[in-house]
Amino acid sequence: MKNTLPETTPFFARDREWHPPAYTPGYKTSILRSPQRALISLEGTKSEITGPVFGHNILGEFDNDLIVNYAKPGEMAIGERILVHGRVLDERGRGVEGALVEFWQANAGGRYRHKKESYLAAIDPNFGGCGRTITDADGNYAFKTIRPGAYPWPNGVNDWRPAHIHFSVFGHGFAQRLITQMYFEGDPMIWICPIVKTIPDKQAIEQLIAALDMNATIPHDMRAYKFDIVLRGRRSTLFENRLEGN
Amino acid sequence: MAQSLNYLKESPSQTAGPYVHIGCTPNFVGIEGVYAQDLGSGPMVNADTRGERITIRGFVYDGGGTALKDALIEIWQADADGFYNSPSETRGKADPNFLGWARCPGDMATGEFLFETIKPGRVPFRDGRLMAPHVTFWIVARGINLGLHTRMYFSDEEAANAEDPVLARIEHKVRVPTLIGKRDGDTVTFDIHLQGDKETVFFDI
């Protein structure tokens, strides 16, 4: 058992200049789905600084291996084998322990296994496209998958998504809840994607580009990409008479 | 130059996209055999959960009045006594038979979401005043670039709502009803409007 104090303080204010704004007309679907009134600012109460905790008991043996977790016995998903790994950190640079990380993606040809998907690329009978894991004591996570393909989507007449993996992350407080996407180093499609371009700051976009990590590559097996995810940090408790935060 | 503060930046959000179900509720879209069941699906209560059983149902509407068919809604709430089932809950121990969290994809034909839960107890605001019973909602979907946070309060809690410190912060009182779930028997109806005259109040928390 670690002797750590409960995390009882609110989170740092979210930097909404760093995130994409709600209304981004280059991404057409956002036009009618973007709130137009000012958000009501609310310093985190118990309702926001608390959050659910998920135990390792929810995980199955192959939840973190998309190459085999939907495949028939003895078979594997088709595609470039990759290991995706990294840390879930907070804005103070501390690893976030016990964070549930869920991920989903298209197959090697850029096709999702979904009822509403109509792209003509082939379905891979051995690829489902979902996985999940929980971070260790230092915030580390890892999973195996195949590199997803790029695909066209109905927005402009010729818009394509770069290869990407979706991530959903739980921290320790519900206000840290985050969904984002991981892109791949060196992909020229990143910079022409209307969804990527909803993020106004180039440095912020670069924060979502996983780097090729040859040190973590498994020789003769799979290349590795490193993708760190940063969740909001908590305010400190510097004074004993202000346990709810400074 | 001053010293660097060395804080990291929060990873920027990207939309959950149209295929959020694959990752969060795969069984719901026919990807079976990977997870035994979808996380957060089904009733939030068992026979031993304390509290008044309620069903929350509603739709998420876009600015054109069309119900979203591809939204994913998550809720987070206190137990019947106002305690959260979280390590950050320091006031007491929450009901072990109530996690307080669930997720529901909108129905693919109609867009309706539904949660079978209990009515939460009151939770104190930061200064100790009690907030009215409420359920925190988080909404993601294609076209939503950053998950939206809001709260549902209860229409049968008029007195508590009148003294709620969060509702009191809303300058335009005509918008307060957008946060009130309408209770009829055991069912509480809560529709979320992303845009337009009835736009729901969303929070920056």
Side-chain angles (χ1 to χ4, degrees):
Chain A
M1 285 292 283
K2 290 199 304 182
N3 185 21
T4 49
L5 290 168
E7 299 171 300
T8 57
T9 54
F11 294 97
F12 300 160
R14 202 162 223 169
D15 181 353
R16 288 179 180 271
E17 307 279 307
W18 192 251
H19 288 284
Y23 177 76
T24 49
Y27 174 25
K28 292 180 181 177
T29 314
S30 76
I31 293 174
L32 281 179
R33 296 185 172 194
S34 44
Q36 295 175 332
R37 316 278 182 108
L39 302 176
I40 303 291
S41 299
L42 173 59
E43 204 172 26
T45 71
K46 278 285 179 200
S47 301
E48 291 79 30
I49 66 178
T50 57
V53 170
F54 301 96
H56 290 261
N57 59 313
I58 69 165
L59 300 178
E61 185 182 357
F62 298 110
D63 282 8
N64 62 352
D65 188 344
L66 282 69
I67 298 174
V68 300
N69 73 10
Y70 192 78
K72 297 178 192 71
E75 298 188 13
M76 287 187 286
I78 291 171
E80 298 176 35
R81 298 162 59 79
I82 59 170
L83 172 76
V84 178
H85 78 111
R87 288 179 80 195
V88 178
L89 303 156
D90 69 13
E91 287 171 293
R92 293 177 175 279
R94 298 185 293 207
V96 179
E97 178 181 7
L100 174 65
V101 183
E102 299 164 293
F103 18 87
W104 65 100
Q105 62 169 84
N107 71 20
R111 174 82 185 253
Y112 284 94
R113 183 177 287 279
H114 193 282
K115 292 168 181 170
K116 293 189 177 175
E117 158 73 296
S118 57
Y119 181 34
L120 55 81
I123 287 270
D124 179 347
N126 289 312
F127 188 72
C130 63
R132 60 186 176 184
T133 188
I134 293 177
T135 57
D136 71 11
D138 297 318
N140 295 297
Y141 76 92
F143 63 95
K144 296 175 180 178
T145 187
I146 51 92
R147 182 180 169 121
Y151 59 87
W153 60 296
N155 185 63
V157 293
N158 189 24
D159 282 335
W160 293 70
R161 296 299 331 276
H164 64 277
I165 301 176
H166 296 264
F167 280 75
S168 164
V169 189
F170 288 81
H172 296 172
F174 203 57
Q176 288 176 301
R177 196 75 182 83
L178 183 71
I179 280 183
T180 189
Q181 300 181 26
M182 177 195 115
Y183 304 100
F184 290 85
E185 180 180 5
D187 185 350
M189 304 297 290
I190 295 170
W191 305 103
I192 55 174
C193 171
I195 287 178
V196 173
K197 289 197 284 190
T198 61
I199 301 174
D201 189 306
K202 183 167 182 282
Q203 280 185 292
I205 293 171
E206 287 168 344
Q207 195 179 353
L208 299 182
I209 303 176
L212 176 67
D213 181 358
M214 288 305 290
N215 289 342
T217 284
I218 305 172
H220 305 286
D221 183 344
M222 51 175 57
R223 285 171 298 161
Y225 284 87
K226 184 165 188 288
F227 184 59
D228 288 340
I229 300 163
V230 181
L231 303 179
R232 297 169 69 181
R234 265 185 211 270
R235 282 162 48 188
S236 58
T237 310
L238 296 178
F239 301 100
E240 288 183 1
N241 62 342
R242 290 294 304 272
L243 288 175
E244 74 279 13
N246 303 302
Chain B
M1 282 267 285
Q3 294 181 6
S4 169
L5 291 171
N6 287 323
Y7 290 117
L8 302 177
K9 297 295 289 183
E10 184 186 12
S11 297
S13 172
Q14 289 272 261
T15 179
Y19 308 125
V20 61
H21 313 102
I22 295 174
C24 294
T25 59
N27 291 283
F28 176 75
V29 285
I31 301 174
E32 291 164 354
V34 183
Y35 309 149
Q37 61 189 49
D38 290 334
L39 192 67
S41 67
M44 296 167 69
V45 297
N46 62 36
D48 298 321
T49 305
R50 295 191 297 267
E52 188 184 353
R53 269 59 177 167
I54 57 169
T55 298
I56 301 170
R57 58 199 314 163
F59 298 86
V60 181
Y61 293 103
D62 71 15
T66 301
L68 274 61
K69 313 292 198 303
D70 50 16
L72 183 78
I73 297 99
E74 292 185 359
I75 64 169
W76 172 241
Q77 65 167 95
D79 71 7
D81 297 316
F83 295 118
Y84 284 99
N85 197 334
S86 162
S88 301
E89 176 58 90
T90 50
R91 299 165 300 137
K93 187 156 170 42
D95 184 345
N97 291 298
F98 187 67
L99 176 61
W101 173 85
R103 64 165 48 134
C104 182
D107 183 271
M108 281 200 179
T110 68
E112 187 172 32
F113 61 81
L114 185 149
F115 296 98
E116 293 176 72
T117 183
I118 51 130
K119 185 172 176 182
R122 298 181 72 173
V123 175
F125 190 60
R126 286 172 60 77
D127 60 10
R129 283 182 291 165
L130 288 177
M131 296 188 281
H134 63 273
V135 174
T136 294
F137 274 67
W138 185 71
I139 302 110
V140 293
R142 179 173 68 99
I144 296 177
N145 290 326
L146 174 61
L148 297 167
H149 282 274
T150 188
R151 285 182 172 191
M152 185 196 84
Y153 288 81
F154 292 82
S155 63
D156 59 343
E157 290 283 351
E158 273 188 41
N161 292 342
E163 63 184 21
D164 182 88
V166 173
L167 294 179
R169 189 169 289 188
I170 299 167
E171 180 187 354
H172 300 96
K173 295 302 171 200
V174 293
R175 301 194 64 205
V176 170
T178 69
L179 298 180
I180 313 289
K182 291 177 192 62
R183 180 148 185 186
D184 182 9
D186 298 333
T187 299
V188 186
T189 302
F190 184 58
D191 291 335
I192 294 161
H193 296 267
L194 299 179
Q195 200 183 85
D197 292 343
K198 291 184 281 188
E199 183 178 309
T200 299
V201 169
F202 297 103
F203 293 99
D204 184 9
I205 52 174

